[in-house]
Amino acid sequence: MTHHPGLLRTAPLVRETTSSLICRIASRYGMEAKVLRACWKWRNYPPGHEGGGARADAEVLLNAAGRQLLVDMCGVEEAVLARALPSWAEEDAKLRAEAGDPVGLWRIAGAVVGPVGFGCRLCTARRTGAAVRVVRYAPRWERVCVRHGRWLLDADANQPLEHLDLRGLPEVVAAQRRWASVARRAVRAGAEPERVFALARAVVARWWEQAFGWEQETIWPWRLHRVAGGDAGGDLERWRIVGRDAVVFPEVVAVAEALLDPAMAELVWADSGAGRPRALPADGLFCRRLGERLGRGWLGPLAAADHGGPLIAWMGSVIRLRRGAGGPPGYDNDPWWLRQEHQAATMAGQLRVLGKEKKAPGSGTGPTAEVARRLLRGLSHSAGLIENAWKRTAVAAANGGVPLQEVALWVDMPVEVLSQMLRADRQEDDS
């Protein structure tokens, strides 16, 4: 193809993936993206989903000649592309080639810069005149298009939707506006906003998984039906995965705000017994106040009972920092440190698991099988928590300064046996 630099000017959008820009250029030239991509020499093949199909979050890295070719195609200065495209300056050893050869390399965007989501097509149309698909690097706390009332979904999942309709859910849009002040508060407190958000999201995502059996929870089901177009019942499992981040976003921001509040940390300290260490109570002041701040006065005891979750881990770090005590093996006193098992599952990962479960031989379908599967999952999860909760609580109490004799009385176990079990548990953690 003979190319005339600047024939059709195509400006990049802020934080757009390079692959997305190439696709938009092809659209302006009236050709398929793969035809335009033939102008580069490729060192590998485009990444695809496990079940087939191209990945929307595919990203490309270009060598110097390849970048210059893209500059010519766009008809804009290279500095403009360098400012707008986060992957522009990324290099790879596989990009080395003979002088003058435009070479490209396929990657997955999340492994290059970070999470990617779809852009709002209505915003794209306002800026470019064409309502085409755009993929942008965007953290999960910036997924609301305030102008058009849309939640912009992750681009790495194998599902057809690009956005969820937030009209009728002003609290989600309001949470997007409120996050800016929460992020500033995090910076003033010496915490990284992204870590605060990740912890709050993990806490709320864990509640989301447990909330299926919470009769008192009426807000989330209502929101879920709204983002599903009025009724999520036809494919509830899928909608619970696709809609989760949008539905719980107001609570995530509220939890992040609460965890940064010094007054809430004081309640944790009071619940721990302050100068007289004790096990955290089931009706503690912190969890009770947290539930009230979320408009769910009933949530406190449920949150306090989840001993294996990220919220209790955060409380333990706050207490140990206040006491100047070190944590047990495998623990860290950084309150914003999120253990791997506490991290919220991604939409892409959950959809892959759901797809495999539905394809598994003998997998049941229908309401009876669905209810049974959920109950068994919940029971299995609860059994695992019960098995480990008392050990973790005992370790936390002992490291918090509670005499081992008192801990032994609480768990109704001889001191010698408890000491041996805790020692064995630490050895397993160390190994």
Side-chain angles (χ1 to χ4, degrees):
M1 180 186 74
T2 302
H3 176 68
H4 302 282
L7 181 62
L8 291 176
R9 186 179 186 277
T10 305
L13 299 175
V14 177
R15 293 191 295 185
E16 185 175 11
T17 66
T18 304
S19 176
S20 172
L21 175 59
I22 291 175
C23 289
R24 288 199 300 113
I25 295 172
S27 178
R28 291 211 65 189
Y29 280 93
M31 63 177 67
E32 293 185 15
K34 65 180 181 181
V35 176
L36 183 63
R37 289 196 295 260
C39 296
W40 287 269
K41 294 181 179 181
W42 298 94
R43 294 301 187 217
N44 58 352
Y45 294 99
H49 289 290
E50 291 182 6
R55 293 183 61 124
D57 66 331
E59 178 61 298
V60 298
L61 305 182
L62 304 175
N63 69 347
R67 292 194 293 269
Q68 184 57 51
L69 177 58
L70 186 58
V71 168
D72 293 340
M73 288 181 174
C74 288
V76 299
E77 295 179 357
E78 181 174 357
V80 174
L81 294 179
R83 286 194 300 269
L85 306 179
S87 68
W88 184 255
E90 295 291 330
E91 290 283 356
D92 191 285
K94 294 182 180 179
L95 288 174
R96 299 192 185 98
E98 295 179 6
D101 285 341
V103 178
L105 185 69
W106 287 100
R107 286 287 183 262
I108 293 175
V112 176
V113 176
V116 289
F118 292 105
C120 174
R121 289 198 181 219
L122 297 180
C123 289
T124 302
R126 289 182 70 252
R127 292 184 177 94
T128 69
V132 296
R133 188 180 79 177
V134 169
V135 179
R136 301 173 59 246
Y137 291 97
R140 291 189 174 91
W141 58 79
E142 292 182 5
R143 292 299 178 86
V144 176
C145 174
V146 176
R147 179 185 294 273
H148 298 112
R150 291 180 168 185
W151 179 270
L152 306 173
L153 292 166
D154 290 344
D156 61 345
N158 189 9
Q159 59 88 34
L161 298 178
E162 295 182 15
H163 74 272
L164 301 176
D165 191 348
L166 297 179
R167 288 176 296 181
L169 295 176
E171 66 271 29
V172 180
V173 179
Q176 177 73 88
R177 294 191 176 100
R178 196 167 76 251
W179 168 253
S181 65
V182 177
R184 288 193 295 270
R185 177 180 291 187
V187 173
R188 289 195 300 269
E192 299 174 25
E194 56 268 28
R195 298 183 71 204
V196 175
F197 182 86
L199 178 60
R201 180 169 176 259
V203 169
V204 178
R206 191 174 175 95
W207 291 343
W208 173 260
E209 293 303 318
Q210 299 167 353
F212 195 79
W214 293 350
E215 294 182 2
Q216 305 98 318
E217 181 55 63
T218 58
I219 298 173
W220 285 346
W222 181 80
R223 285 186 198 154
L224 184 62
H225 287 302
R226 291 301 297 257
V227 300
D231 183 14
D235 197 357
L236 181 59
E237 187 73 5
R238 188 182 73 87
W239 276 113
R240 275 180 54 81
I241 295 172
V242 174
R244 182 197 67 186
D245 283 351
V247 169
V248 306
F249 188 61
E251 285 72 26
V252 171
V253 175
V255 168
E257 195 170 31
L259 298 183
L260 288 165
D261 188 346
M264 294 296 284
E266 284 297 322
L267 295 181
V268 174
W269 178 240
D271 285 340
S272 73
R276 302 182 63 183
R278 66 181 183 186
L280 293 172
D283 58 346
L285 297 173
F286 170 79
C287 288
R288 187 190 313 162
R289 180 62 185 133
L290 181 60
E292 293 170 354
R293 290 177 69 144
L294 296 175
R296 294 165 172 82
W298 48 267
L299 179 60
L302 294 173
D306 188 11
H307 298 289
L311 182 62
I312 300 298
W314 176 85
M315 295 172 68
S317 295
V318 170
I319 295 167
R320 290 192 295 274
L321 280 172
R322 187 71 174 266
R323 290 199 176 123
Y331 287 70
D332 191 352
N333 283 349
D334 178 2
W336 310 114
W337 177 62
L338 185 61
R339 297 171 63 173
Q340 184 174 359
E341 62 266 31
H342 289 162
Q343 294 176 11
T346 64
M347 178 175 69
Q350 291 183 93
L351 287 175
R352 283 195 297 270
V353 171
L354 179 63
K356 291 177 180 178
E357 288 179 347
K358 288 186 175 181
K359 293 178 182 178
S363 59
T365 57
T368 301
E370 176 66 15
V371 171
R373 186 173 66 83
R374 284 190 167 276
L375 285 173
L376 289 172
R377 267 188 174 181
L379 289 171
S380 176
H381 177 67
S382 298
L385 290 178
I386 292 171
E387 182 180 351
N388 293 317
W390 76 266
K391 289 185 180 180
R392 293 188 178 183
T393 306
V395 170
N399 281 276
V402 179
L404 197 60
Q405 291 81 0
E406 290 189 33
V407 179
L409 287 175
W410 295 340
V411 297
D412 192 22
M413 181 178 292
V415 176
E416 297 78 11
V417 177
L418 176 61
S419 178
Q420 291 175 1
M421 294 189 71
L422 292 181
R423 193 179 304 114
D425 191 53
R426 290 192 184 98
Q427 290 173 351
E428 290 180 5
D429 288 340
D430 291 338
S431 61

